[in-house]
């Protein structure tokens, strides 16, 4: 009869369920802790959580880090985790948006190396591009491809395109 009272309560959460939720928050906190300081600062995190994560990064003692991670878990109980999960998916490259942006940049790089007209199209879309720098990278990438050398300039061109578009 006493157990029936718990089952009727809509807000009742079992101890096992609370523990699973707590473990999930701790895992999320650990994943955030493993990111670099710059990645953390770029994310849209609540200030209290960001401060706790940056403090954990500063610590060197294992016990201190362990206690700070428990505190991060406590702070995360009051935080909406769905936006954080989405941001982490983008960082991991798991989101469809991130994959599509990455492939679009690869396509641009290929087009720029293969076709001179593509540079004009790129400059129309991104007028803030350093024309001299991008032309030099395209020229070097073509030369490396012709000589079957490692694609150093091609990679540098991709990084430049990524930086200009702001893709992660």
């Amino acid at each position: 009869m006493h157990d029936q009272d718990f089952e009727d309560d809509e807000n009742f959460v079992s101890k096992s369920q609370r523990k699973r939720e707590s473990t999930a928050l701790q895992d999320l906190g650990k994943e955030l802790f493993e990111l670099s300081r710059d990645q953390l600062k770029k994310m849209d995190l609540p200030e209290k959580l960001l401060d706790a994560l940056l403090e954990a990064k500063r610590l060197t003692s294992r016990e201190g880090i362990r206690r700070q991670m428990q505190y991060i878990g406590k702070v995360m109980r009051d935080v909406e985790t769905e936006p954080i999960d989405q941001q982490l998916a983008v960082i991991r490259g798991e989101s469809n948006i991130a994959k599509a942006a990455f492939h679009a940049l690869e396509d641009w790089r290929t087009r720029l190396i293969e076709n001179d007209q593509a540079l004009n199209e790129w400059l129309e879309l991104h007028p803030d591009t350093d024309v001299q720098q991008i032309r030099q990278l395209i020229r070097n990438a073509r030369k490396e491809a012709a000589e079957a050398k490692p694609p150093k300039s091609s990679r540098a061109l991709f990084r430049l395109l990524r930086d200009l578009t702001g893709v992660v």
Side-chain angles (χ1 to χ4, degrees), residues 58-76:
R58 189 186 66 75
L59 298 173
T60 56
S61 159
R62 285 175 73 110
E63 181 62 19
I65 292 172
R66 186 191 67 76
R67 285 193 311 265
Q68 188 68 14
M69 292 306 292
Q70 284 182 328
Y71 175 69
I72 289 169
K74 181 180 177 184
V75 169
M76 290 186 67

Side-chain angles (χ1 to χ4, degrees), residues 119 122-123 126-140 157 160 164:
L119 179 59
W122 175 265
L123 293 174
H126 305 279
D128 56 333
T129 303
D130 182 355
V131 179
Q132 185 176 358
Q133 181 184 18
I134 197 167
R135 282 192 175 140
Q136 181 70 43
L137 289 172
I138 292 169
R139 202 171 25 252
N140 289 346
L157 177 61
L160 176 68
L164 289 170

Side-chain angles (χ1 to χ4, degrees), residues 98-116:
K99 287 179 185 176
F102 184 84
H103 290 303
L105 287 179
E106 286 180 330
D107 290 343
W108 267 111
R109 175 180 60 182
T110 303
R111 287 178 55 204
L112 287 168
I113 292 172
E114 293 175 354
N115 184 356
D116 290 329

Side-chain angles (χ1 to χ4, degrees), residues 71-90:
Y71 175 69
I72 289 169
K74 181 180 177 184
V75 169
M76 290 186 67
R77 289 182 209 151
D78 300 329
V79 173
E80 179 63 38
T81 59
E82 185 62 30
I84 295 172
D85 282 332
Q86 291 172 353
Q87 292 176 64
L88 283 172
V90 170

